[in-house]
Amino acid sequence: MDERDELRAAVRGLVDRLGGTTASRRVMESESGYDAELWSRLAGELGLAGLAIAEEYDGQGATFVELAVALEELGRAVVPVPFLASAVLAAGAVGSDAETLKRIAAGTPAALATGGNATATTDSRITGEFGHVIDGAAAEVLVVAAGDDVFVVSADADGVQRDPLPTLDQTRRQARVRLVNAPGRRVDGSVTRALDLGRVALAAESVGGARWCLEATVDYAKTREQFGRPIGSFQALKHRMADMHVLVETAAATAEHAAWVAAHDPDQLPLVAAMAKAYCTDAYVELAQETIQLHGGIGFTWEHDAHLHLKRSWSSRLLLGEPRELRARVAELAQI
Protein backbone atom coordinates (compact mmCIF):
# COMPACT_ATOMS: atom_id res chain seq x y z
CA MET A 1 0.00 0.00 0.00
CA ASP A 2 1.52 3.34 -1.05
CA GLU A 3 1.14 6.63 0.79
CA ARG A 4 -1.90 7.72 -1.19
CA ASP A 5 -3.70 4.46 -0.48
CA GLU A 6 -2.86 4.89 3.20
CA LEU A 7 -4.24 8.44 3.11
CA ARG A 8 -7.43 7.23 1.45
CA ALA A 9 -7.87 4.46 4.02
CA ALA A 10 -7.19 6.84 6.91
CA VAL A 11 -9.73 9.43 5.77
CA ARG A 12 -12.40 6.82 5.05
CA GLY A 13 -11.76 5.07 8.35
CA LEU A 14 -12.08 8.26 10.40
CA VAL A 15 -15.23 9.37 8.58
CA ASP A 16 -16.83 5.95 9.05
CA ARG A 17 -15.89 5.80 12.74
CA LEU A 18 -17.59 9.12 13.37
CA GLY A 19 -20.82 8.06 11.72
CA GLY A 20 -20.47 8.61 7.97
CA THR A 21 -23.65 9.84 6.30
CA THR A 22 -25.65 9.26 9.49
CA ALA A 23 -23.54 11.94 11.15
CA SER A 24 -23.80 14.12 8.05
CA ARG A 25 -27.59 14.07 8.27
CA ARG A 26 -27.48 15.03 11.94
CA VAL A 27 -24.98 17.83 11.45
CA MET A 28 -26.62 19.38 8.41
CA GLU A 29 -29.71 20.07 10.51
CA SER A 30 -27.68 21.92 13.15
CA GLU A 31 -27.21 25.67 13.35
CA SER A 32 -23.52 25.60 12.42
CA GLY A 33 -24.03 23.24 9.49
CA TYR A 34 -20.62 21.62 9.76
CA ASP A 35 -19.14 18.82 11.82
CA ALA A 36 -16.72 20.59 14.18
CA GLU A 37 -15.55 17.35 15.84
CA LEU A 38 -14.79 15.62 12.56
CA TRP A 39 -13.09 18.71 11.18
CA SER A 40 -10.95 18.99 14.32
CA ARG A 41 -9.88 15.37 14.02
CA LEU A 42 -9.28 15.56 10.27
CA ALA A 43 -7.09 18.59 10.86
CA GLY A 44 -5.39 17.30 14.02
CA GLU A 45 -4.99 13.55 13.55
CA LEU A 46 -4.56 13.47 9.76
CA GLY A 47 -3.30 16.98 9.07
CA LEU A 48 -5.78 17.44 6.24
CA ALA A 49 -6.32 21.15 6.78
CA GLY A 50 -2.68 21.76 5.93
CA LEU A 51 -2.11 18.79 3.62
CA ALA A 52 -1.02 20.88 0.63
CA ILE A 53 0.44 23.75 2.68
CA ALA A 54 4.24 23.95 2.82
CA GLU A 55 6.00 22.63 5.90
CA GLU A 56 7.44 26.09 6.62
CA TYR A 57 3.86 27.19 7.32
CA ASP A 58 3.17 24.18 9.55
CA GLY A 59 1.56 22.18 6.75
CA GLN A 60 2.26 18.67 5.46
CA GLY A 61 4.01 19.78 2.28
CA ALA A 62 2.06 17.41 0.02
CA THR A 63 0.88 18.23 -3.48
CA PHE A 64 -2.57 18.70 -4.94
CA VAL A 65 -2.46 15.07 -6.05
CA GLU A 66 -2.65 13.99 -2.42
CA LEU A 67 -5.23 16.67 -1.71
CA ALA A 68 -7.40 15.18 -4.45
CA VAL A 69 -7.32 11.78 -2.72
CA ALA A 70 -8.74 13.34 0.45
CA LEU A 71 -11.34 15.25 -1.57
CA GLU A 72 -12.56 12.04 -3.20
CA GLU A 73 -13.11 10.41 0.17
CA LEU A 74 -14.88 13.42 1.65
CA GLY A 75 -17.05 13.63 -1.45
CA ARG A 76 -17.90 9.96 -1.18
CA ALA A 77 -19.48 10.54 2.24
CA VAL A 78 -20.81 14.07 1.47
CA VAL A 79 -19.07 15.19 4.65
CA PRO A 80 -20.13 18.63 5.99
CA VAL A 81 -16.70 20.08 6.79
CA PRO A 82 -15.09 23.31 5.46
CA PHE A 83 -12.33 21.49 3.57
CA LEU A 84 -13.04 23.01 0.15
CA ALA A 85 -13.59 26.49 1.57
CA SER A 86 -10.61 26.50 3.91
CA ALA A 87 -7.86 24.12 2.70
CA VAL A 88 -8.40 24.79 -1.01
CA LEU A 89 -10.02 28.16 -1.73
CA ALA A 90 -8.83 30.30 1.17
CA ALA A 91 -5.39 28.69 1.36
CA GLY A 92 -4.99 28.99 -2.40
CA ALA A 93 -5.83 32.69 -2.42
CA VAL A 94 -3.41 34.04 0.20
CA GLY A 95 -0.16 33.27 -1.58
CA SER A 96 2.67 32.87 0.92
CA ASP A 97 1.08 34.77 3.79
CA ALA A 98 2.53 32.87 6.73
CA GLU A 99 0.08 34.04 9.38
CA THR A 100 -3.02 32.93 7.49
CA LEU A 101 -1.53 29.69 6.17
CA LYS A 102 -0.48 28.64 9.65
CA ARG A 103 -3.97 29.28 10.99
CA ILE A 104 -5.55 27.30 8.18
CA ALA A 105 -3.09 24.44 8.65
CA ALA A 106 -4.03 24.34 12.34
CA GLY A 107 -7.68 23.83 11.41
CA THR A 108 -9.06 27.35 11.72
CA PRO A 109 -12.04 27.48 9.32
CA ALA A 110 -11.55 30.03 6.55
CA ALA A 111 -13.62 31.12 3.57
CA LEU A 112 -13.03 32.95 0.30
CA ALA A 113 -15.32 35.89 -0.51
CA THR A 114 -15.10 36.80 -4.17
CA GLY A 115 -17.30 37.95 -7.01
CA GLY A 116 -18.66 40.89 -5.05
CA ASN A 117 -18.38 44.66 -5.37
CA ALA A 118 -15.88 45.35 -2.60
CA THR A 119 -13.60 48.36 -2.53
CA ALA A 120 -10.69 49.11 -0.21
CA THR A 121 -9.26 52.34 1.13
CA THR A 122 -5.58 53.11 1.44
CA ASP A 123 -5.65 51.99 5.07
CA SER A 124 -7.18 48.61 4.07
CA ARG A 125 -10.72 49.31 5.17
CA ILE A 126 -13.07 47.24 3.03
CA THR A 127 -16.68 47.84 2.05
CA GLY A 128 -18.73 45.54 -0.12
CA GLU A 129 -21.10 42.59 -0.33
CA PHE A 130 -20.55 39.01 -1.42
CA GLY A 131 -23.22 36.42 -2.11
CA HIS A 132 -22.96 32.64 -1.79
CA VAL A 133 -19.71 32.46 0.18
CA ILE A 134 -19.04 28.77 0.79
CA ASP A 135 -18.98 28.07 4.55
CA GLY A 136 -18.95 31.81 5.10
CA ALA A 137 -21.00 31.69 8.30
CA ALA A 138 -18.73 29.14 9.98
CA ALA A 139 -15.43 30.76 8.99
CA GLU A 140 -13.22 32.51 11.49
CA VAL A 141 -11.04 33.99 8.75
CA LEU A 142 -12.32 35.66 5.59
CA VAL A 143 -10.12 36.01 2.53
CA VAL A 144 -11.67 38.87 0.58
CA ALA A 145 -11.20 40.00 -3.01
CA ALA A 146 -11.45 43.75 -3.55
CA GLY A 147 -10.67 44.51 -7.17
CA ASP A 148 -7.34 42.88 -7.97
CA ASP A 149 -6.24 42.92 -4.32
CA VAL A 150 -6.63 40.22 -1.70
CA PHE A 151 -7.25 40.98 1.98
CA VAL A 152 -7.51 38.88 5.11
CA VAL A 153 -10.32 39.92 7.45
CA SER A 154 -11.20 38.52 10.85
CA ALA A 155 -14.75 37.19 10.75
CA ASP A 156 -15.55 38.80 14.12
CA ALA A 157 -14.14 42.22 13.22
CA ASP A 158 -16.25 45.37 13.39
CA GLY A 159 -18.15 45.95 10.18
CA VAL A 160 -18.50 42.27 9.25
CA GLN A 161 -21.98 40.79 8.87
CA ARG A 162 -22.68 37.22 7.77
CA ASP A 163 -26.15 35.93 6.94
CA PRO A 164 -26.68 32.20 6.29
CA LEU A 165 -28.51 31.43 3.04
CA PRO A 166 -30.91 28.59 2.29
CA THR A 167 -29.15 26.03 0.08
CA LEU A 168 -30.14 23.03 -1.99
CA ASP A 169 -27.19 21.09 -0.59
CA GLN A 170 -27.57 21.24 3.17
CA THR A 171 -24.17 19.59 3.69
CA ARG A 172 -22.38 22.61 2.25
CA ARG A 173 -23.61 25.87 3.71
CA GLN A 174 -23.32 29.27 2.07
CA ALA A 175 -23.65 32.79 3.40
CA ARG A 176 -24.02 36.39 2.31
CA VAL A 177 -21.11 38.45 3.64
CA ARG A 178 -21.38 42.22 4.06
CA LEU A 179 -18.40 44.40 4.95
CA VAL A 180 -18.78 48.02 6.03
CA ASN A 181 -15.44 49.74 6.54
CA ALA A 182 -14.10 46.46 7.96
CA PRO A 183 -10.39 46.35 8.82
CA GLY A 184 -8.35 44.07 6.59
CA ARG A 185 -4.74 43.16 5.89
CA ARG A 186 -3.51 43.12 2.30
CA VAL A 187 -1.70 39.95 1.20
CA ASP A 188 0.11 39.01 -1.99
CA GLY A 189 -2.34 36.40 -3.22
CA SER A 190 -4.32 35.35 -6.29
CA VAL A 191 -8.05 34.74 -6.32
CA THR A 192 -7.88 33.56 -9.95
CA ARG A 193 -5.56 30.70 -9.07
CA ALA A 194 -7.64 29.82 -6.01
CA LEU A 195 -10.78 29.50 -8.14
CA ASP A 196 -8.97 27.21 -10.58
CA LEU A 197 -7.81 25.04 -7.69
CA GLY A 198 -11.38 25.02 -6.40
CA ARG A 199 -12.61 23.72 -9.76
CA VAL A 200 -10.09 20.89 -9.67
CA ALA A 201 -11.16 20.14 -6.11
CA LEU A 202 -14.82 19.93 -7.11
CA ALA A 203 -13.87 17.57 -9.93
CA ALA A 204 -12.07 15.24 -7.50
CA GLU A 205 -14.84 15.45 -4.93
CA SER A 206 -17.43 14.65 -7.62
CA VAL A 207 -15.53 11.50 -8.57
CA GLY A 208 -15.78 10.29 -4.98
CA GLY A 209 -19.52 10.89 -4.94
CA ALA A 210 -19.96 9.28 -8.36
CA ARG A 211 -18.11 6.16 -7.23
CA TRP A 212 -20.42 5.83 -4.25
CA CYS A 213 -23.41 6.06 -6.58
CA LEU A 214 -22.06 3.30 -8.83
CA GLU A 215 -21.15 0.98 -5.96
CA ALA A 216 -24.46 1.51 -4.15
CA THR A 217 -26.40 0.80 -7.33
CA VAL A 218 -24.46 -2.37 -8.16
CA ASP A 219 -24.85 -3.67 -4.60
CA TYR A 220 -28.59 -2.99 -4.69
CA ALA A 221 -28.96 -4.70 -8.07
CA LYS A 222 -27.33 -7.84 -6.67
CA THR A 223 -29.75 -8.14 -3.76
CA ARG A 224 -33.06 -6.68 -4.99
CA GLU A 225 -35.13 -9.40 -6.62
CA GLN A 226 -37.95 -9.16 -9.14
CA PHE A 227 -39.68 -12.06 -10.88
CA GLY A 228 -37.65 -14.45 -8.74
CA ARG A 229 -34.16 -13.19 -9.74
CA PRO A 230 -31.81 -10.28 -8.87
CA ILE A 231 -32.60 -7.24 -10.96
CA GLY A 232 -28.91 -6.97 -11.80
CA SER A 233 -29.28 -10.04 -13.99
CA PHE A 234 -31.55 -8.22 -16.44
CA GLN A 235 -29.69 -7.15 -19.57
CA ALA A 236 -31.21 -3.68 -19.75
CA LEU A 237 -30.00 -2.84 -16.23
CA LYS A 238 -26.58 -4.37 -16.93
CA HIS A 239 -26.17 -1.95 -19.82
CA ARG A 240 -27.15 1.03 -17.69
CA MET A 241 -24.72 0.09 -14.93
CA ALA A 242 -21.98 -0.53 -17.48
CA ASP A 243 -22.55 3.00 -18.79
CA MET A 244 -22.33 4.29 -15.22
CA HIS A 245 -19.00 2.48 -14.78
CA VAL A 246 -17.56 4.01 -17.95
CA LEU A 247 -18.67 7.47 -16.87
CA VAL A 248 -17.07 7.09 -13.44
CA GLU A 249 -13.75 5.89 -14.86
CA THR A 250 -13.52 8.65 -17.47
CA ALA A 251 -14.34 11.25 -14.81
CA ALA A 252 -11.70 9.74 -12.51
CA ALA A 253 -9.05 9.93 -15.23
CA THR A 254 -10.01 13.53 -15.98
CA ALA A 255 -9.85 14.56 -12.31
CA GLU A 256 -6.57 12.74 -11.75
CA HIS A 257 -4.96 14.57 -14.66
CA ALA A 258 -6.31 17.89 -13.41
CA ALA A 259 -4.84 17.25 -9.94
CA TRP A 260 -1.45 16.50 -11.53
CA VAL A 261 -1.63 19.74 -13.52
CA ALA A 262 -2.53 21.68 -10.37
CA ALA A 263 0.58 20.26 -8.72
CA HIS A 264 3.07 20.46 -11.58
CA ASP A 265 1.95 22.60 -14.54
CA PRO A 266 0.48 25.95 -13.45
CA ASP A 267 0.44 27.34 -17.00
CA GLN A 268 -2.11 24.71 -18.06
CA LEU A 269 -4.20 24.96 -14.89
CA PRO A 270 -6.87 27.44 -16.11
CA LEU A 271 -7.71 25.32 -19.17
CA VAL A 272 -7.58 21.92 -17.47
CA ALA A 273 -9.44 23.08 -14.34
CA ALA A 274 -12.37 24.38 -16.38
CA MET A 275 -12.50 21.22 -18.47
CA ALA A 276 -12.29 18.86 -15.49
CA LYS A 277 -14.85 20.67 -13.38
CA ALA A 278 -17.39 20.78 -16.22
CA TYR A 279 -17.00 17.11 -17.14
CA CYS A 280 -16.79 15.61 -13.65
CA THR A 281 -19.69 17.52 -12.14
CA ASP A 282 -21.89 16.67 -15.14
CA ALA A 283 -20.92 13.03 -14.67
CA TYR A 284 -21.77 13.18 -10.97
CA VAL A 285 -25.23 14.59 -11.68
CA GLU A 286 -25.91 11.83 -14.20
CA LEU A 287 -24.69 9.13 -11.79
CA ALA A 288 -26.79 10.50 -8.93
CA GLN A 289 -29.91 10.61 -11.09
CA GLU A 290 -29.33 7.07 -12.35
CA THR A 291 -28.81 5.87 -8.79
CA ILE A 292 -32.22 7.14 -7.74
CA GLN A 293 -33.89 5.67 -10.82
CA LEU A 294 -32.27 2.24 -10.49
CA HIS A 295 -33.11 2.02 -6.80
CA GLY A 296 -36.78 2.26 -7.72
CA GLY A 297 -39.21 3.29 -4.98
CA ILE A 298 -36.60 3.31 -2.21
CA GLY A 299 -34.46 5.71 -4.19
CA PHE A 300 -37.15 8.38 -3.98
CA THR A 301 -37.28 8.34 -0.18
CA TRP A 302 -35.46 10.96 1.90
CA GLU A 303 -34.07 8.21 4.13
CA HIS A 304 -31.85 6.93 1.32
CA ASP A 305 -28.40 8.50 0.88
CA ALA A 306 -28.94 8.85 -2.87
CA HIS A 307 -30.70 12.15 -2.13
CA LEU A 308 -27.63 13.53 -0.38
CA HIS A 309 -25.61 12.83 -3.50
CA LEU A 310 -28.24 14.22 -5.85
CA LYS A 311 -28.27 17.53 -3.99
CA ARG A 312 -24.48 17.65 -3.63
CA SER A 313 -24.02 16.89 -7.34
CA TRP A 314 -26.32 19.70 -8.46
CA SER A 315 -24.72 22.12 -6.03
CA SER A 316 -21.20 21.21 -7.17
CA ARG A 317 -22.27 21.54 -10.80
CA LEU A 318 -23.25 25.18 -10.24
CA LEU A 319 -20.40 26.28 -7.95
CA LEU A 320 -17.45 28.19 -9.43
CA GLY A 321 -18.99 28.28 -12.88
CA GLU A 322 -21.62 26.04 -14.42
CA PRO A 323 -20.50 23.65 -17.21
CA ARG A 324 -21.75 25.81 -20.08
CA GLU A 325 -19.69 28.77 -18.85
CA LEU A 326 -16.64 26.63 -18.28
CA ARG A 327 -16.81 25.02 -21.71
CA ALA A 328 -16.93 28.50 -23.24
CA ARG A 329 -13.85 29.30 -21.16
CA VAL A 330 -12.12 26.18 -22.47
CA ALA A 331 -12.88 27.21 -26.06
CA GLU A 332 -11.51 30.68 -25.40
CA LEU A 333 -8.32 29.47 -23.69
CA ALA A 334 -7.71 26.80 -26.33
CA GLN A 335 -8.48 29.35 -29.09
CA ILE A 336 -11.02 27.03 -30.68
Side-chain angles (χ1 to χ4, degrees), residues 127-179:
T127 297
E129 181 175 321
F130 302 88
H132 301 285
V133 177
I134 301 171
D135 288 316
E140 297 179 28
V141 175
L142 297 173
V143 180
V144 177
D148 294 329
D149 295 321
V150 180
F151 296 84
V152 175
V153 177
S154 175
D156 61 0
D158 291 339
V160 176
Q161 179 182 343
R162 297 175 292 163
D163 300 310
L165 298 172
T167 55
L168 171 67
D169 177 13
Q170 295 160 291
T171 66
R172 176 173 283 148
R173 298 290 181 87
Q174 299 178 34
R176 179 181 293 108
V177 175
R178 293 187 178 93
L179 305 177

Side-chain angles (χ1 to χ4, degrees), residues 81-104:
V81 293
F83 190 69
L84 172 66
S86 192
V88 180
L89 293 172
V94 296
S96 58
D97 182 61
E99 179 183 338
T100 307
L101 289 174
K102 287 182 178 182
R103 293 192 68 188
I104 292 173

Side-chain angles (χ1 to χ4, degrees), residues 4 23 28 33 36 118 125 132 151 154 168 191 205 210 231 274 291 315 324 326 332:
R4 291 171 194 165
M28 73 185 192
R125 293 277 176 169
H132 301 285
F151 296 84
S154 175
L168 171 67
V191 168
E205 191 184 84
I231 63 172
T291 298
S315 172
R324 181 174 56 181
L326 295 177
E332 180 183 354

